Amino acid sequence: MPRPSSIFDPPTTLERLLASPIKFLAQILHRIFLFLRAPLSLVPYNRPAIKVVCISDTHNDVQQVPPGDLLIHAGDLTKHGTVAELQAQIDWLKSLPHLHKVVICGNHDSFLDPASRSTEDEGKTLSWGGIQYLEDSSVTLTFPLHGNRKLSIYGAPQVPTCGGSDFAFQHNRDEDRWTGTIPPETDVLVTHTPPKYHLDLPVGLGCKYLLQEVWRIRPALHVFGHVHSGHGKEPVFWDEGQRIYEQIRARKDRGVIRDMFDVWGWLCLGRLVCHGVGAMLWTRVWGGDCAGSWMVNAALAYRNTGKLGNPAQVIEV
């Protein structure tokens, strides 16, 4: 059976099933239970909603962006990361009407990391205008038309190694670059890499240490990109059901035969079902609290086609 030409290409349904029936079923059941739970809203009671427009991975291209109050670009503005490419993307972002704009670096944006910067671009600078560029840093933004509501936003660019020395802010996949780095007051987290097991394809291309740190902080909104085929949004509820799902996803692929006789794996799947049904009844029938967060893979690039095709994601907070 032919395999995807790149780990960033999504596997077929049959490939996922044959790799691990337990993990395959867990992903389907997880999506079903997220859909059946009561809708997740991040807008505080009796407060005006702030519309956050999320994009990423534009790779030198532009497309129409919905209006909103805050525009976030989660990295990979360019293909080769030159000053000329970056400035062209920055000028496009500056032309958009959003009140606030926040940008972080992606692995393709080489100039922004001195370690990957080309010698031709040494000594050159960028004109950011009113755009907030975040690199392991925070900014607190005020929204005067929304009762002077404030959002604390933290942005960081690092990604597990995925290319050569011309890629920016890379680190070994087994190296922890996240623990204790994100301020606890963060409302909106912007990273280039996804957290592991969330909108990062079945193979799990995200960062496990980022996942641990996000569990600690639990921001209202986490925006990322990098894995084009993971585009979309997902509610997360920081409960035992989510932990069980992530534990199942962390299992090694064992194939059909070994999975069929994996008693512990099937017990975990049963626990996932029990927690999913319980959460659905709690929020839909008994009117229980539905607090959680949104994770958004905002990649505009469609898979690995080299072209934009995914829509921007809009979240109200």
Side-chain angles (χ1 to χ4, degrees):
M1 181 181 301
R3 303 293 298 171
S5 59
S6 165
I7 61 171
F8 288 93
D9 290 325
T12 66
T13 301
L14 180 59
E15 287 171 338
R16 293 167 55 200
L17 176 62
L18 294 179
S20 174
I22 291 176
K23 290 170 67 173
F24 176 74
L25 289 173
Q27 291 174 73
I28 293 176
L29 290 169
H30 182 63
R31 286 198 295 268
I32 290 174
F33 288 128
L34 290 179
F35 176 77
L36 292 176
R37 289 177 78 140
L40 172 63
S41 174
L42 302 180
V43 182
Y45 175 73
N46 206 27
R47 301 294 299 275
I50 297 171
K51 186 177 290 186
V52 183
V53 180
C54 310
I55 63 174
S56 183
D57 296 81
T58 47
H59 295 292
N60 290 343
D61 290 329
V62 301
Q63 72 178 41
Q64 187 172 358
V65 176
D69 306 300
L70 169 62
L71 176 65
I72 293 176
H73 194 304
D76 273 5
L77 293 85
T78 68
K79 291 180 179 178
H80 305 105
T82 65
V83 166
E85 287 182 344
L86 280 164
Q87 193 60 62
Q89 283 280 290
I90 292 168
D91 291 343
W92 167 59
L93 294 174
K94 288 194 292 186
S95 73
L96 298 176
H98 307 75
L99 174 64
H100 294 299
K101 299 160 190 173
V102 172
V103 172
I104 68 165
C105 176
N107 54 286
H108 278 269
D109 303 324
S110 307
F111 174 78
L112 296 171
D113 181 0
S116 60
R117 185 176 299 164
S118 70
T119 56
E120 291 82 359
D121 280 337
E122 289 290 347
K124 296 180 181 179
T125 59
L126 295 167
S127 174
W128 289 97
I131 295 174
Q132 299 285 343
Y133 171 66
L134 300 182
E135 184 181 309
D136 303 313
S137 57
S138 295
V139 64
T140 298
L141 301 177
T142 302
F143 296 82
L145 299 180
H146 299 78
N148 284 321
R149 288 186 59 197
K150 299 179 185 295
L151 289 178
S152 178
I153 305 170
Y154 180 84
Q158 54 264 29
V159 297
T161 300
C162 56
S165 60
D166 58 333
F167 274 9
F169 295 107
Q170 296 186 102
H171 62 87
N172 292 331
R173 185 165 287 276
D174 292 329
E175 183 180 357
D176 183 0
R177 291 287 188 90
W178 289 103
T179 299
T181 62
I182 302 174
E185 66 274 12
T186 298
D187 300 309
V188 179
L189 173 63
V190 188
T191 65
H192 188 56
T193 183
K196 203 167 183 66
Y197 311 129
H198 293 276
L199 303 172
D200 65 339
L201 293 185
V203 71
L205 294 172
C207 178
K208 62 181 179 181
Y209 298 108
L210 174 58
L211 177 63
Q212 294 171 6
E213 182 72 350
V214 173
W215 262 96
R216 182 179 73 88
I217 300 299
R218 305 184 186 188
L221 173 62
H222 183 187
V223 184
F224 47 85
H226 189 47
V227 182
H228 303 168
S229 297
H231 172 268
K233 59 184 178 181
E234 173 184 284
V236 290
F237 296 98
W238 315 113
D239 57 13
E240 188 62 20
Q242 183 182 326
R243 284 200 185 276
I244 295 169
Y245 168 71
E246 291 167 357
Q247 289 168 0
I248 294 174
R249 288 288 310 276
R251 295 161 46 88
K252 292 183 178 180
D253 291 344
R254 299 162 57 90
V256 174
I257 294 176
R258 294 185 68 182
D259 261 18
M260 292 298 294
F261 295 97
D262 185 349
V263 176
W264 180 249
W266 290 106
L267 286 173
C268 289
L269 199 63
R271 292 174 61 213
L272 180 66
V273 172
C274 289
H275 279 279
V277 171
M280 178 188 65
L281 292 174
W282 172 248
T283 59
R284 287 284 189 180
V285 178
W286 297 315
D289 184 35
C290 192
S293 308
W294 278 105
M295 289 187 178
V296 174
N297 183 326
L300 297 190
Y302 180 72
R303 297 191 175 182
N304 289 325
T305 62
K307 300 178 180 179
L308 303 189
N310 294 327
Q313 297 288 320
V314 180
I315 301 289
E316 291 188 343
V317 300

